[in-house]
Amino acid sequence: MGMRAVLTRILGIATVACALVATPAVASAETQVMPDGVNAEVLSLKQDGTKPVQITEPGSYVLKTAKGEVTPTSGYTIDAPDATRINPVRIYIDGTVYVNSYTNSSVGQNRWLFNIKQGSNIEFIGVNNPIISFHDERGGSQSVSGFLTDRYYDGGYKNASGDISVSLGIGDDSQDLTLWYSSSMEQKVPAISLGNTKGNLSANFSKLMIKDYAGKSGAVAGNAQEYAVPVHLFREGRNTTGGNINPFTATFTDCEFYDTSGDFNGAVSVDGNSSFKMPKDGSAVAKLTATFNNCSFSGHNGENAGVRQTNRSYNSVEASRYFANSSILNTYAVSGVMGVTNATVNLNSCEMSNFHSTRSSSADSTLTVDALNVARSARCNINGGTIERYGARGNTCVVYAAGTLTLNGSPEIASYWKNSHAGDTNYGDKYTEADKATGTAKSLYVPKKKSVDANVPALNIASDFSVRGGYGDNVWISIEETADSNGVKSRVLGTCESNKIEGVVPDGSSENDDNSDKYEVVNLNGDLTFRETIHQHKWKVEADGLGVRASCVGPFRNGECEYGMGEDGKPKKYLTATYKLSMSKATSSQSTELVYDGCPVKIALNKDGAWNLEQMGVTASDEFTWYQCKSQADAEAYKNGTKLKGAPTDAGYYYVVTSFKTASGQTLEGKKSFEISQRRLVKNQSYKFILKDGGKGAGKYAYDGKEHQPVVESAQFKNGAGEWVDLVEGKDYELSARSESGLKQTEPGQYECIVIGKGNFTTDGGTTSVLTLKWEIVDVARFDLEVTGFEGAYDGEKHGITVNVKNDPVPADMKIEYREDGGDWTTDKPTYRNAAEYTTCCRVTASGYLTAKGSATVKISKAGQDAPADLVGNNWTTCNSKDGSISGVTKKMEYRHEFSKKYQKITSSDKLTGLAKSGTYYVRYAEDNNHNASADAEVKIEPGSHAVADNAVWKPNGEGSHVKLCKYCKKEQERQPCRWKYEIVTPATPEADGVRQKVCRVCGGKWDEERYTYVDTYAPHHL
Ligand SMILES: [Zn+2]
Ligand SMILES: [Zn+2]
Ligand SMILES: [Zn+2]
């Protein structure tokens, strides 16, 4: 029957034409323009007998009750298969609608205001402060009825048909659409019950408020098909049908449950009903999803107020619906607010507060769940929001997670006050002494797994999970643990993407009030693990030299921590991360830590340092600044340092600075002064000294009478990197004699010298292991040598020295060599013929023999020679020819006149001519290179005879004689007295004397003129 027909037939209401929206379904029906402009048909409040009012056509309807009016006792059935998104079934709830309080004897048929049999796009829109009131205006008459269900009750249990989608919201600026019950009337069915359709089902509710709903199905147990809860979302099927496997999604946005209570849950039951052949792989869980966005579950703060589970016959975490041993019917998750069974629930930014479990008045050990119960095989994702309770009593928990609970967005799950104050009996549910004996209230309780859900994690924490309560209270989680083979009680709860779990203190033994040291929840490599407490280090870090050290101030059994505090309040031990400086191992006799090793000083964290740093949360900068100082005092005071480019190598005083950053951002400075001391240059495998080959091997010299000393061919040091590097004489070392005799030696023998370290090396500190080098002058055989010269007169023969090696036998490789002055050694012996003195050096060598040397002189004197013989003196031809000569001479001769002291060379052969002087000549062989001058041979040279020419005339000699002269030399040869006569020159006159002159009559010689007196001529007189 169509809606129009029903209304027309039953009510006969005149139709009010509406101009705005065509609502042609019932042309004659009363209509009303809604605030959103829709022209809605007013739903009839009258029914035909016990039959519900039928809504069969898509279209807009409005439900309202005027003063004194109530809804039909059998409510409304929506059976509108033609409803579409464009043409939905739209039902306005206009103002306060009073629900009929009549209790039909056939309660199963008429206890919902709206029954959906078929129809998608069914919209409930509240306007004008809409309230579905389950009591009359005066509050005296109260209805036992649900508001909405998809079960169609018509003579018994029936499935709804096809896909159903239903929504509820507000059409104007009203605050919400309230289902307002009377808390004094126990409801037998849910206010909203959805989930029976055969097809897909979706529900989308916003701004729905359910208030004062008090559900308790006990009155109809065994008869009714529902239990009483404000909202029941479920999937149902029978063993014979396999159930409905189509998805059901329900969304509640900005909805509020206030002072509601119910059979199993105080507000919502999400019931996947897994016993009905639902797949066990989790897909069934995904088929029923209920999402609550920004919803609130709360109430008055007081005993028996707020949201609570009221049917105390179901006082454990799970309850069989009707028959505890039923093989058909599932158990249900029992809790104060919401139970989730074989379904998925998302709680986004929801708030649960002022809720209560159904704890019986008498304390027992049975655990009850105050707010949220996620049953095995169910999933609940809590994203943000708050689930908190103050003053819970006894053995309760706020959230029970047997299925998978995933926490994200830092939700707060807390049970305050009574958690840690078991003795508080004054607040909330009045914690009794008996409660104290049965356990404390927990925030979260994770039970043991059962074998069937061994693979289902219980708890996932996908975000920071901080549940620290007010007043510094921790929030306790109680987890049933299993013991491993070592007896350590632990439980992997699920995955935890966050590393941060704060304020969560696992509940441990109820006997021990100080449970904080018993159990803990930790994030181990992403696994959230509940276990017996293991001490957690918390490091107090401080600078310590070139490093940091940390003591543990961490919780849980700090006194048992080796880094924790001892009884004296001081750390028993420090966790250290210290940079250690190192060089290769020093000699054992050197106590200094760092000894030059030819490589830069190495720096590294101490053993486990890196790990320790990681534990401490400290970051090392890994940057080091090195300084060199001139004195140890400066280095130790960290001052006057010269900054180095890198780690130092050479011996000296230094300090190094680095920094650490703690987890809290504090920077700690690490520094250390140190000394690199000289390395002892001693005898060990780090040094390799090789002496030069002295001809007989390294450091060995053949005795040669000369001074020798060891000379280093190569000196190497194996540095810290294991490389052999050259040592430099004078810089790194020097050689020193072992004894006073010095480094230089001449005599054959074995000697030692000492290598003295210099610069980066030292020999100080002891002599026992000083590095010595052995060297040797090797003795050799000697030659018995006699060297003789030669002395003799020139004889035309060659002469040389004589070297006589007397050794017998002489060595086979003996070699005799000679050397003239300025010459080279040669095996050709020099010989000499000419007179002179020659010195020849000689040496004799042979392997293994001391080279012998000698010298001798060849002295050749000049030979004598005989005086020349057979010389013939040739006189002058005349007395005055001066042409003397000597025959028989040679050019080898020389001569002198008897009056000359100097010999003159004879340059001509055979005849020496031109001897102008007469007399005796001495002629000898002249001295030459090889001869002395000979004795003289005397040769006389006489002048020739005078001769007077035949016609020679007498010539006066002026002395009264006249002479005849030699025709050659003009010398007088004959003399006669002149025979003179006077010759008158001037005749004397009587008057005057004349002049007369004697004149030789022979020679005509004249005397001087003489005066004479006149004398008669005749008177001659003669003289
Ligand atoms: Zn510790
Ligand atoms: Zn003469
Ligand atoms: Zn004369």
Side-chain angles (χ1 to χ4, degrees):
M1 185 186 296
M3 182 70 189
R4 178 173 55 179
V6 170
L7 293 174
T8 302
R9 180 168 47 82
I10 296 176
L11 303 175
I13 295 170
T15 299
V16 176
C18 173
L20 291 177
V21 176
T23 322
V26 183
S28 59
E30 182 188 357
T31 62
Q32 175 180 328
V33 178
M34 302 315 297
D36 54 8
V38 170
N39 195 15
E41 181 179 321
V42 177
L43 285 171
S44 171
L45 301 177
K46 302 300 180 185
Q47 62 188 35
D48 182 8
T50 60
K51 290 185 177 177
V53 177
Q54 300 286 317
I55 300 173
T56 58
E57 301 289 337
S60 297
Y61 307 92
V62 55
L63 177 64
K64 59 181 182 178
T65 54
K67 186 175 178 63
E69 292 181 323
V70 295
T71 60
T73 55
S74 295
Y76 300 89
T77 295
I78 301 169
D79 187 2
D82 297 334
T84 63
R85 184 175 61 81
I86 295 173
N87 194 18
V89 175
R90 182 178 290 133
I91 299 171
Y92 290 91
I93 305 297
D94 186 0
T96 300
V97 172
Y98 290 97
V99 177
N100 196 310
S101 63
Y102 172 73
T103 303
N104 194 309
S105 57
S106 303
V107 290
Q109 299 176 25
N110 61 1
R111 293 180 66 191
W112 270 275
L113 182 57
F114 289 99
N115 282 291
I116 302 172
K117 183 178 182 184
Q118 293 183 87
S120 295
N121 301 294
I122 299 166
E123 302 174 2
F124 291 92
I125 301 173
V127 295
N128 297 321
N129 299 316
I131 296 172
I132 307 293
S133 177
F134 292 87
H135 40 73
D136 65 19
E137 295 162 275
R138 298 176 302 278
S141 181
Q142 291 143 10
S143 173
V144 178
S145 177
F147 166 68
L148 177 66
T149 182
D150 65 341
R151 296 183 177 213
Y152 176 55
Y153 288 86
D154 186 8
Y157 186 90
K158 269 192 173 180
N159 291 338
S161 302
D163 293 347
I164 291 177
S165 65
V166 57
S167 67
L168 182 148
I170 294 298
D172 56 11
D173 57 359
S174 299
Q175 188 173 350
D176 53 35
L177 196 165
T178 302
L179 307 184
W180 187 13
Y181 284 87
S182 169
S183 58
S184 62
M185 178 63 72
E186 290 180 339
Q187 299 295 323
K188 312 302 182 196
V189 295
I192 294 173
S193 172
L194 294 171
N196 195 43
T197 182
K198 284 184 172 178
N200 295 335
L201 177 57
S202 67
N204 199 333
F205 298 150
S206 66
K207 294 197 173 179
L208 169 67
M209 179 179 186
I210 301 177
K211 182 175 160 185
D212 291 342
Y213 176 95
K216 190 169 184 181
S217 62
V220 293
N223 184 18
Q225 300 299 313
E226 282 287 352
Y227 63 82
V229 68
V231 171
H232 185 204
L233 306 174
F234 65 100
R235 283 154 52 77
E236 192 172 56
R238 285 186 174 276
N239 197 23
T240 53
T241 64
N244 181 9
I245 58 170
N246 292 306
F248 175 14
T249 58
T251 303
F252 291 78
T253 303
D254 297 328
C255 295
E256 185 173 0
F257 296 76
Y258 193 85
D259 279 345
T260 62
S261 60
D263 261 347
F264 297 105
N265 297 291
V268 180
S269 288
V270 183
D271 173 13
N273 205 357
S274 62
S275 71
F276 290 101
K277 294 209 166 184
M278 297 298 177
K280 298 295 187 186
D281 59 2
S283 62
V285 175
K287 287 290 174 63
L288 171 51
T289 301
T291 300
F292 296 85
N293 299 316
N294 197 34
C295 293
S296 166
F297 305 83
S298 66
H300 295 92
N301 185 13
E303 190 174 7
N304 295 322
V307 183
R308 63 195 189 281
Q309 190 260 341
T310 50
N311 191 335
R312 294 186 173 174
S313 61
Y314 312 123
N315 56 5
S316 73
V317 295
E318 293 177 346
S320 175
R321 184 157 58 161
Y322 301 117
F323 304 104
N325 298 318
S326 170
S327 61
I328 299 175
L329 301 174
N330 196 17
T331 55
Y332 291 82
V334 176
S335 71
V337 177
M338 184 182 293
V340 186
T341 307
N342 204 32
T344 299
V345 164
N346 301 309
L347 294 175
N348 298 322
S349 301
C350 293
E351 180 186 353
M352 296 182 185
S353 60
N354 293 336
F355 43 77
H356 304 270
S357 69
T358 177
R359 185 149 193 83
S360 63
S361 56
S362 61
D364 60 41
S365 60
T366 305
L367 176 73
T368 58
V369 183
D370 281 353
L372 175 66
N373 186 342
V374 183
R376 302 175 193 281
S377 304
R379 297 174 187 165
C380 182
N381 303 307
I382 299 180
N383 193 357
T386 302
I387 304 176
E388 62 180 7
R389 176 166 187 194
Y390 287 80
R393 63 180 295 182
N395 190 16
T396 62
C397 66
V398 170
V399 174
Y400 182 85
T404 298
L405 178 64
T406 297
L407 305 177
N408 206 342
S410 300
E412 186 172 326
I413 299 174
S415 178
Y416 295 128
W417 289 3
K418 290 298 177 61
N419 295 322
S420 53
H421 301 285
D424 185 353
T425 60
N426 298 321
Y427 293 93
D429 289 346
K430 291 189 172 59
Y431 215 106
T432 65
E433 289 298 317
D435 288 329
K436 287 162 63 177
T438 60
T440 55
K442 292 87 180 171
S443 299
L444 179 61
Y445 194 103
V446 182
K448 287 182 182 176
K449 289 183 179 181
K450 289 181 177 176
S451 58
V452 292
D453 47 30
N455 294 323
V456 180
L459 178 64
N460 293 315
I461 298 180
S463 71
D464 290 352
F465 182 43
S466 178
V467 288
R468 191 177 294 279
Y471 313 108
D473 283 351
N474 291 316
V475 177
W476 289 6
I477 293 181
S478 185
I479 301 164
E480 294 178 0
E481 76 282 8
T482 52
D484 67 9
S485 58
N486 296 323
V488 175
K489 293 177 177 176
S490 67
R491 164 88 184 275
V492 174
L493 300 173
T495 57
C496 177
E497 297 173 7
S498 166
N499 287 320
K500 193 174 171 189
I501 305 172
E502 286 185 343
V504 180
V505 178
D507 186 18
S509 163
S510 61
E511 283 90 37
N512 188 345
D513 193 41
D514 183 16
N515 291 314
S516 62
D517 261 8
K518 285 288 185 183
Y519 292 89
E520 62 180 338
V521 175
V522 293
N523 178 6
L524 295 178
N525 303 320
D527 274 342
L528 191 67
T529 299
F530 166 79
R531 64 184 184 191
E532 288 188 308
T533 53
I534 296 173
H535 167 67
Q536 294 174 355
H537 293 308
K538 183 179 177 186
W539 300 107
K540 179 187 172 192
V541 184
E542 57 194 331
D544 180 23
L546 193 61
V548 290
R549 66 180 188 182
S551 55
C552 179
V553 294
F556 306 135
R557 303 169 178 172
N558 181 281
E560 296 174 19
C561 175
E562 59 180 325
Y563 305 104
M565 301 301 163
E567 291 181 355
D568 59 358
K570 293 175 182 172
K572 288 183 281 188
K573 182 183 170 186
Y574 287 101
L575 186 70
T576 62
T578 305
Y579 283 105
K580 300 284 187 186
L581 300 173
S582 66
M583 284 184 158
S584 63
K585 192 171 181 297
T587 54
S588 58
S589 61
Q590 283 185 307
S591 58
T592 323
E593 187 179 4
L594 298 176
V595 179
Y596 172 83
D597 75 347
C599 293
V601 62
K602 289 191 277 286
I603 189 163
L605 282 173
N606 61 325
K607 186 172 181 292
D608 299 330
W611 192 85
N612 291 352
L613 280 179
E614 198 179 325
Q615 302 313 301
M616 299 176 204
V618 171
T619 309
S621 75
D622 286 339
E623 287 181 8
F624 305 95
T625 311
W626 304 88
Y627 297 91
Q628 182 167 23
C629 294
K630 288 180 177 170
S631 71
Q632 185 171 9
D634 275 359
E636 288 175 351
Y638 306 108
K639 67 176 188 181
N640 299 330
T642 302
K643 193 172 175 181
L644 301 176
K645 285 181 179 174
T649 301
D650 291 332
Y653 300 103
Y654 303 93
Y655 61 92
V656 59
V657 180
T658 187
S659 67
F660 300 87
K661 185 160 268 183
T662 66
S664 62
Q666 186 187 3
T667 298
L668 301 175
E669 185 183 65
K671 56 187 179 181
K672 177 183 176 65
S673 67
F674 63 96
E675 175 189 355
I676 299 176
S677 55
Q678 295 167 301
R679 176 165 289 264
R680 289 202 57 215
L681 203 171
V682 295
K683 182 187 298 180
N684 65 27
Q685 293 178 340
S686 293
Y687 301 99
K688 214 154 57 178
F689 277 77
I690 299 174
L691 292 176
K692 270 189 180 160
D693 192 328
K696 300 293 259 182
K700 290 187 175 179
Y701 301 87
Y703 171 75
D704 58 3
K706 296 176 183 171
E707 273 187 345
H708 292 281
Q709 70 181 90
V711 176
V712 173
E713 168 79 36
S714 74
Q716 289 190 307
F717 165 58
K718 192 176 191 176
N719 69 13
E723 302 159 336
W724 286 100
V725 295
D726 289 336
L727 295 176
V728 178
E729 188 165 7
K731 171 176 171 282
D732 297 320
Y733 71 92
E734 62 186 12
L735 295 187
S736 172
R738 178 134 226 179
S739 65
E740 290 180 358
S741 61
L743 204 55
K744 294 180 177 178
Q745 300 290 344
T746 304
E747 293 307 311
Q750 291 181 332
Y751 304 97
E752 276 187 351
C753 62
I754 304 171
V755 181
I756 305 289
K758 297 184 71 177
N760 283 316
F761 298 92
T762 180
T763 316
D764 294 342
T767 56
T768 51
S769 56
V770 68
L771 177 59
T772 58
L773 302 175
K774 292 184 190 305
W775 66 287
E776 188 176 353
I777 296 177
V778 183
D779 203 0
V780 294
R782 315 295 170 96
F783 286 111
D784 185 3
L785 190 66
E786 186 180 75
V787 183
T788 52
F790 171 83
E791 190 164 351
Y794 172 81
D795 61 0
E797 299 298 323
K798 291 179 177 175
H799 302 281
I801 66 169
T802 301
V803 175
N804 180 19
V805 179
K806 296 179 181 175
N807 300 58
D808 183 19
V810 297
D813 62 344
M814 185 181 77
K815 187 164 80 171
I816 301 175
E817 294 169 288
Y818 305 89
R819 191 183 68 183
E820 293 174 284
D821 188 26
D824 297 322
W825 289 102
T826 172
T827 52
D828 295 332
K829 183 167 78 173
T831 55
Y832 314 98
R833 177 185 289 125
N834 294 326
E837 197 169 316
Y838 308 92
T839 300
T840 301
C841 295
C842 65
R843 67 180 182 192
V844 182
T845 56
S847 58
Y849 279 73
L850 175 66
T851 297
K853 283 190 176 181
S855 68
T857 302
V858 174
K859 191 173 179 181
I860 300 174
S861 54
K862 291 181 179 178
Q865 50 191 341
D866 295 334
D870 300 327
L871 297 179
V872 175
N874 301 305
N875 293 332
W876 295 1
T877 308
T878 67
C879 62
N880 198 34
S881 65
K882 300 187 179 190
D883 58 352
S885 67
I886 300 172
S887 298
V889 300
T890 70
K891 287 180 181 176
K892 291 183 179 180
M893 297 177 186
E894 61 184 1
Y895 73 98
R896 70 175 172 92
H897 187 259
E898 57 185 314
F899 301 134
S900 174
K901 290 180 176 172
K902 191 178 177 186
Y903 289 91
Q904 296 182 42
K905 288 291 291 180
I906 294 173
T907 60
S908 59
S909 296
D910 189 40
K911 192 171 186 180
L912 173 64
T913 59
L915 300 177
K917 290 182 180 173
S918 61
T920 301
Y921 284 86
Y922 300 104
V923 179
R924 67 180 185 183
Y925 284 103
E927 182 182 11
D928 64 17
N929 287 339
N930 294 315
H931 301 85
N932 293 317
S934 65
D936 292 328
E938 291 184 17
V939 179
K940 288 188 186 314
I941 304 287
E942 300 293 340
S945 301
H946 300 287
V948 176
D950 293 343
N951 57 347
V953 298
W954 297 86
K955 285 187 179 179
N957 73 344
E959 296 173 353
S961 299
H962 56 249
V963 297
K964 283 189 180 177
L965 298 180
C966 175
K967 67 180 178 184
Y968 301 114
C969 66
K970 308 309 178 187
K971 285 184 179 171
E972 180 182 299
Q973 298 297 318
E974 298 174 34
R975 182 183 297 191
Q976 297 172 338
C978 284
R979 289 169 316 190
W980 58 276
K981 69 182 185 178
Y982 282 113
E983 288 182 2
I984 304 302
V985 177
T986 306
T989 68
E991 307 79 48
D993 294 342
V995 173
R996 64 182 183 181
Q997 183 175 34
K998 293 175 183 173
V999 178
C1000 178
R1001 288 181 270 200
V1002 172
C1003 71
K1006 298 174 179 175
W1007 282 257
D1008 292 341
E1009 290 175 347
E1010 60 184 27
R1011 193 175 292 263
Y1012 75 97
T1013 313
Y1014 183 80
V1015 166
D1016 185 354
T1017 328
Y1018 302 115
H1021 51 297
H1022 296 282
L1023 297 168

